Amino acid sequence: MSALQERPPCPRPPGAPRWVALFHRPAGAGSWTVGAQSPYRAPVLYAVGIMTRTLRARGDEVTVALWGPKDGAWHLFDTPAAAEDPAPATPSGQPAPGPAEPAGLTERMTGRRHQVLLAGLSKAGLYDLGPEDDEAVRALADRLDEPTVRRVAHWLSVAGR
């Protein structure tokens, strides 16, 4: 959606204030859907950047609304920069952790990349992995960003067909 077009009215998310990204795709159902939510802003902004880029690459128009806590209540924040660019990245391509982001989130994201790679290997027909294989998968999960891991898993699943 261009900057000159008006954003459709966005409903406030239910529940306690937290960081929530809502997406509106006119070509879809035309309603707002939750795309990402977290108690922390950085992972939501990262997800907004990735999802927006993916949808636009498919040729979809997308509008993003970013809700978050402000003074203990819901607040609708501006999102143009978040929709164009994911959260700042480190030299390795990983999103830079936000100041309030716990170390547990980083561990969960690494675990998720590890699971995605293992699923890709399974689809490629590699089920009986030894300790060396697991260590190699962990090394990849530590070093690659989420989009790259998904791409590698896709290659593996196509190879297994």
Side-chain angles (χ1 to χ4, degrees):
M1 186 171 248
S2 78
L4 298 176
Q5 292 178 322
E6 193 173 310
R7 177 190 356 222
C10 177
R12 188 184 79 183
R18 61 201 177 283
W19 291 98
V20 177
L22 295 169
F23 285 78
H24 182 271
R25 292 175 26 199
S31 62
W32 290 90
T33 57
V34 174
Q37 59 183 322
S38 172
Y40 306 98
R41 186 175 188 204
V44 172
L45 290 179
Y46 182 73
V48 165
I50 297 298
M51 287 187 273
T52 302
R53 212 175 314 137
T54 300
L55 290 169
R56 288 186 178 151
R58 293 179 185 161
D60 290 349
E61 287 292 321
V62 63
T63 303
V64 181
L66 179 66
W67 286 90
K70 184 176 181 182
D71 299 326
W74 282 107
H75 180 76
L76 181 60
F77 290 88
D78 290 335
T79 55
E84 295 301 323
D85 235 343
T90 62
S92 69
Q94 297 291 337
E101 191 174 298
L105 177 64
T106 303
E107 291 172 22
R108 269 199 327 270
M109 293 304 288
T110 300
R112 176 178 159 162
R113 290 190 301 271
H114 183 259
Q115 289 174 345
V116 168
L117 287 170
L118 286 177
L121 289 168
S122 293
K123 287 184 179 180
L126 301 170
Y127 304 103
D128 190 23
L129 300 177
E132 291 173 348
D133 298 318
D134 190 52
E135 197 56 41
V137 171
R138 286 194 189 286
L140 283 171
D142 286 342
R143 290 181 180 92
L144 299 177
D145 64 356
E146 185 112 2
T148 305
V149 166
R150 279 191 245 126
R151 194 72 199 148
V152 170
H154 170 75
W155 293 338
L156 292 167
S157 67
V158 170
R161 290 184 189 163

Short mmCIF file of all heavy atoms in Angstrom, two decimals, residues 120-143:
data_model
loop_
_atom_site.label_atom_id
_atom_site.label_comp_id
_atom_site.label_asym_id
_atom_site.label_seq_id
_atom_site.Cartn_x
_atom_site.Cartn_y
_atom_site.Cartn_z
N GLY A 120 13.98 -30.66 7.23
CA GLY A 120 14.42 -30.72 5.84
C GLY A 120 15.24 -31.97 5.56
O GLY A 120 15.08 -32.61 4.52
N LEU A 121 16.12 -32.32 6.49
CA LEU A 121 16.90 -33.54 6.32
C LEU A 121 16.01 -34.78 6.31
O LEU A 121 16.23 -35.71 5.53
CB LEU A 121 17.96 -33.65 7.43
CG LEU A 121 19.12 -32.66 7.33
CD1 LEU A 121 19.93 -32.65 8.62
CD2 LEU A 121 20.00 -32.99 6.14
N SER A 122 14.99 -34.79 7.15
CA SER A 122 14.05 -35.92 7.17
C SER A 122 13.32 -36.04 5.84
O SER A 122 13.16 -37.13 5.31
CB SER A 122 13.04 -35.76 8.30
OG SER A 122 13.68 -35.86 9.54
N LYS A 123 12.89 -34.91 5.29
CA LYS A 123 12.19 -34.93 4.00
C LYS A 123 13.12 -35.38 2.88
O LYS A 123 12.67 -35.92 1.88
CB LYS A 123 11.60 -33.57 3.68
CG LYS A 123 10.39 -33.25 4.52
CD LYS A 123 9.77 -31.94 4.13
CE LYS A 123 8.54 -31.67 4.96
NZ LYS A 123 7.90 -30.40 4.61
N ALA A 124 14.42 -35.15 3.07
CA ALA A 124 15.40 -35.61 2.07
C ALA A 124 15.72 -37.09 2.25
O ALA A 124 16.49 -37.65 1.48
CB ALA A 124 16.67 -34.77 2.17
N GLY A 125 15.16 -37.71 3.29
CA GLY A 125 15.36 -39.14 3.52
C GLY A 125 16.50 -39.45 4.47
O GLY A 125 16.90 -40.61 4.59
N LEU A 126 17.02 -38.45 5.15
CA LEU A 126 18.12 -38.67 6.09
C LEU A 126 17.56 -38.69 7.51
O LEU A 126 17.36 -37.65 8.12
CB LEU A 126 19.17 -37.56 5.95
CG LEU A 126 19.79 -37.44 4.57
CD1 LEU A 126 20.63 -36.18 4.47
CD2 LEU A 126 20.64 -38.67 4.27
N TYR A 127 17.29 -39.90 8.01
CA TYR A 127 16.65 -40.03 9.32
C TYR A 127 17.63 -40.43 10.41
O TYR A 127 17.50 -40.04 11.54
CB TYR A 127 15.55 -41.10 9.26
CG TYR A 127 14.52 -40.83 8.21
CD1 TYR A 127 14.53 -41.54 7.01
CD2 TYR A 127 13.54 -39.86 8.40
CE1 TYR A 127 13.59 -41.29 6.03
CE2 TYR A 127 12.60 -39.60 7.42
CZ TYR A 127 12.64 -40.33 6.24
OH TYR A 127 11.71 -40.07 5.28
N ASP A 128 18.60 -41.25 10.07
CA ASP A 128 19.51 -41.81 11.07
C ASP A 128 20.75 -40.94 11.18
O ASP A 128 21.80 -41.22 10.60
CB ASP A 128 19.88 -43.24 10.65
CG ASP A 128 20.63 -43.96 11.75
OD1 ASP A 128 20.49 -43.57 12.93
OD2 ASP A 128 21.35 -44.92 11.42
N LEU A 129 20.63 -39.86 11.94
CA LEU A 129 21.74 -38.92 12.08
C LEU A 129 22.55 -39.25 13.33
O LEU A 129 22.00 -39.52 14.39
CB LEU A 129 21.22 -37.49 12.17
CG LEU A 129 20.42 -37.00 10.97
CD1 LEU A 129 19.90 -35.59 11.22
CD2 LEU A 129 21.25 -37.04 9.70
N GLY A 130 23.84 -39.19 13.18
CA GLY A 130 24.73 -39.45 14.31
C GLY A 130 25.10 -38.16 15.03
O GLY A 130 24.68 -37.06 14.63
N PRO A 131 25.90 -38.28 16.08
CA PRO A 131 26.31 -37.10 16.84
C PRO A 131 27.04 -36.05 16.00
O PRO A 131 26.86 -34.86 16.19
CB PRO A 131 27.23 -37.66 17.92
CG PRO A 131 26.90 -39.12 18.00
CD PRO A 131 26.40 -39.52 16.65
N GLU A 132 27.87 -36.49 15.05
CA GLU A 132 28.58 -35.54 14.19
C GLU A 132 27.60 -34.77 13.31
O GLU A 132 27.78 -33.57 13.08
CB GLU A 132 29.60 -36.27 13.31
CG GLU A 132 30.77 -36.83 14.08
CD GLU A 132 31.67 -37.67 13.19
OE1 GLU A 132 31.27 -38.00 12.05
OE2 GLU A 132 32.77 -38.00 13.64
N ASP A 133 26.56 -35.47 12.83
CA ASP A 133 25.54 -34.81 12.01
C ASP A 133 24.78 -33.78 12.83
O ASP A 133 24.52 -32.66 12.36
CB ASP A 133 24.56 -35.84 11.43
CG ASP A 133 25.25 -36.85 10.53
OD1 ASP A 133 26.10 -36.44 9.73
OD2 ASP A 133 24.93 -38.04 10.65
N ASP A 134 24.42 -34.16 14.04
CA ASP A 134 23.69 -33.24 14.90
C ASP A 134 24.53 -32.00 15.20
O ASP A 134 24.01 -30.88 15.20
CB ASP A 134 23.26 -33.93 16.20
CG ASP A 134 22.29 -33.09 16.99
OD1 ASP A 134 21.27 -32.65 16.41
OD2 ASP A 134 22.55 -32.84 18.18
N GLU A 135 25.81 -32.20 15.41
CA GLU A 135 26.71 -31.07 15.68
C GLU A 135 26.79 -30.15 14.46
O GLU A 135 26.82 -28.93 14.59
CB GLU A 135 28.09 -31.59 16.07
CG GLU A 135 28.97 -30.57 16.73
CD GLU A 135 28.35 -29.93 17.97
OE1 GLU A 135 27.70 -30.65 18.77
OE2 GLU A 135 28.49 -28.71 18.13
N ALA A 136 26.82 -30.73 13.27
CA ALA A 136 26.86 -29.93 12.04
C ALA A 136 25.56 -29.12 11.87
O ALA A 136 25.60 -27.95 11.49
CB ALA A 136 27.08 -30.83 10.82
N VAL A 137 24.44 -29.75 12.18
CA VAL A 137 23.15 -29.04 12.09
C VAL A 137 23.11 -27.91 13.10
O VAL A 137 22.67 -26.80 12.79
CB VAL A 137 21.96 -30.02 12.31
CG1 VAL A 137 20.65 -29.28 12.45
CG2 VAL A 137 21.88 -31.01 11.16
N ARG A 138 23.60 -28.14 14.31
CA ARG A 138 23.65 -27.08 15.33
C ARG A 138 24.54 -25.91 14.88
O ARG A 138 24.21 -24.76 15.09
CB ARG A 138 24.12 -27.63 16.66
CG ARG A 138 23.10 -28.46 17.37
CD ARG A 138 23.45 -28.72 18.82
NE ARG A 138 22.53 -29.68 19.37
CZ ARG A 138 21.27 -29.43 19.70
NH1 ARG A 138 20.80 -28.23 19.53
NH2 ARG A 138 20.49 -30.36 20.18
N ALA A 139 25.66 -26.24 14.27
CA ALA A 139 26.57 -25.18 13.78
C ALA A 139 25.87 -24.34 12.71
O ALA A 139 25.97 -23.11 12.72
CB ALA A 139 27.85 -25.80 13.23
N LEU A 140 25.15 -24.98 11.81
CA LEU A 140 24.40 -24.23 10.80
C LEU A 140 23.31 -23.37 11.43
O LEU A 140 23.14 -22.21 11.07
CB LEU A 140 23.76 -25.19 9.78
CG LEU A 140 24.68 -25.79 8.74
CD1 LEU A 140 23.95 -26.86 7.96
CD2 LEU A 140 25.21 -24.70 7.81
N ALA A 141 22.58 -23.95 12.38
CA ALA A 141 21.50 -23.21 13.04
C ALA A 141 22.04 -22.00 13.79
O ALA A 141 21.38 -20.96 13.84
CB ALA A 141 20.74 -24.13 13.99
N ASP A 142 23.23 -22.10 14.35
CA ASP A 142 23.85 -20.98 15.06
C ASP A 142 24.27 -19.87 14.12
O ASP A 142 24.23 -18.69 14.48
CB ASP A 142 25.07 -21.44 15.85
CG ASP A 142 24.72 -22.24 17.09
OD1 ASP A 142 23.55 -22.15 17.54
OD2 ASP A 142 25.60 -22.95 17.60
N ARG A 143 24.68 -20.22 12.91
CA ARG A 143 25.30 -19.24 12.01
C ARG A 143 24.36 -18.66 10.96
O ARG A 143 24.63 -17.58 10.44
CB ARG A 143 26.49 -19.87 11.32
CG ARG A 143 27.64 -20.11 12.27
CD ARG A 143 28.84 -20.72 11.57
NE ARG A 143 29.93 -20.94 12.50
CZ ARG A 143 30.14 -22.07 13.16
NH1 ARG A 143 29.33 -23.09 12.99
NH2 ARG A 143 31.15 -22.18 14.00
#
